[in-house]
Amino acid sequence: MKPDQNNPGRRALFRGVALLGLGAVAGCTGAPGRPSAPAAGPQAAKAMRPSTYRLQPLAGYGPPHAAPTRLPVRHEPILQMDTHDESMVLTFDDGPDPLYTPHILRTLREHDVRAMFFVCGEQVEWNKDLLREMADDGHIVGNHTWTHPLLTEMSRAAMRSEIERTCEIIDDTIGEPPAWFRAPYGAWNRNAFRIGAELGMEPLAWTVDTNDWSEPGTRSIVRAVRAGAAPGVVVLSHDAGGNRSQSVAALRIFLPELLDSGYRITVPRRRGV
Ligand SMILES: [Zn+2]
């Protein structure tokens, strides 16, 4: 997998995504004084409700897997959870990684909180025990493709293979297919939304980017979380893809701080629950 910080086009990509209206989404309202924290509006609330859609068979995702619940196709990712309390969501991308993920899991366990892990299939292949540990601890395992490619440059067939293979290895490993999908580099397009929906996954982006992939220093990561903390915020961090010791150290600082400040660290409701 190509680590995020080794991709020189990453920043340019984010600009491109924003210009397309897929990053800072039209129709979303930014929180006052918090331009980097747009709210997802009523669609986020919709995502929190159990799906009412019928199960439909889907070619290529057949037995022994149950057919995923096909969801309506979104045109933008969810950026923030709709909440009326002090809830926040922590997300960790690119893992699992035997060096860093166990530390993240231990810290979350010490504070008895649940988070979301957007994993890459090729990482799962060699770290299935870590995936089971995530599921056993009540964390949500999401799909982050197989090899972390730039989806916007792929054919539909290649993109579907990347995403579907990852659904299958997650289902095989923890006995449950993923209900959430996150495009690498936050680069979405129409096919990504369609395939995700066909495979029963909601597209989740983030509200606050800690920029931990660039190894900016533990204090910088902590500062980003402190500055962005607000009800419904989704925080992006990484537990793989490079040296993530700063991400591990930052979590040990900002997690107890958030809890002491009255925030409830939680995960969105699973589909059908
Ligand atoms: Zn990633």
Side-chain angles (χ1 to χ4, degrees):
M1 176 180 64
K2 187 187 294 180
D4 286 348
Q5 77 277 16
N6 288 345
N7 186 325
R10 183 185 175 105
R11 289 187 179 284
L13 264 176
F14 274 119
R15 280 199 298 275
V17 168
L19 283 172
L20 287 169
L22 297 176
V25 174
C28 295
T29 52
R34 200 183 301 281
S36 65
Q43 296 202 345
K46 194 175 170 186
M48 305 284 283
R49 296 190 197 113
S51 169
T52 55
Y53 294 84
R54 288 176 295 130
L55 280 170
Q56 294 182 0
L58 199 68
Y61 198 76
H65 304 279
T69 304
R70 194 176 182 125
L71 301 176
V73 179
R74 292 180 185 272
H75 303 287
E76 55 199 41
I78 298 164
L79 303 175
Q80 185 162 352
M81 292 299 139
D82 191 33
T83 179
H84 299 293
D85 63 14
E86 302 288 299
S87 295
M88 282 179 60
V89 176
L90 303 183
T91 67
F92 301 90
D93 285 11
D94 300 356
D97 184 302
L99 279 180
Y100 307 108
T101 307
H103 296 290
I104 302 275
L105 287 170
R106 189 174 310 134
T107 302
L108 296 172
R109 198 176 301 131
E110 281 169 8
H111 294 281
D112 193 25
V113 301
R114 251 54 66 191
M116 299 179 80
F117 289 86
F118 285 90
V119 300
C120 291
E122 67 175 4
Q123 293 289 109
V124 174
E125 266 195 315
W126 307 103
N127 298 290
K128 290 184 177 177
D129 286 350
L130 285 172
L131 209 72
R132 293 188 193 101
E133 203 175 324
M134 290 171 185
D136 288 347
D137 283 359
H139 303 302
I140 289 184
V141 177
N143 185 324
H144 198 42
T145 72
W146 191 270
T147 62
H148 206 272
L150 187 54
L151 294 178
T152 48
E153 292 184 350
M154 301 185 83
S155 69
R156 192 183 196 285
M159 187 190 298
R160 183 166 178 117
S161 172
E162 276 275 343
I163 299 169
E164 194 171 29
R165 281 180 75 193
T166 306
C167 281
E168 289 171 357
I169 198 169
I170 291 172
D171 195 357
D172 284 344
T173 307
I174 64 173
E176 186 178 21
W180 298 88
F181 169 63
R182 177 175 282 170
Y185 313 107
W188 309 82
N189 65 10
R190 189 180 298 182
N191 278 339
F193 290 123
R194 281 184 179 166
I195 292 168
E198 285 168 9
L199 295 172
M201 299 181 291
E202 292 282 20
L204 181 65
W206 55 85
T207 327
V208 172
D209 188 350
T210 63
N211 284 310
D212 64 334
W213 59 273
S214 67
E215 299 175 43
T218 301
R219 280 194 293 181
S220 172
I221 298 169
V222 172
R223 269 200 305 272
V225 176
R226 282 178 187 152
V233 157
V234 178
V235 177
L236 168 66
S237 302
H238 296 79
D239 60 329
N243 184 333
R244 298 293 170 244
S245 52
Q246 294 177 3
S247 311
V248 168
L251 179 67
R252 290 183 181 137
I253 297 169
F254 72 68
L255 178 53
E257 278 187 11
L258 290 173
L259 294 170
D260 287 347
S261 301
Y263 283 105
R264 195 168 67 90
I265 306 303
T266 186
V267 290
R269 288 178 72 168
R270 292 178 196 224
R271 183 185 64 227
V273 175

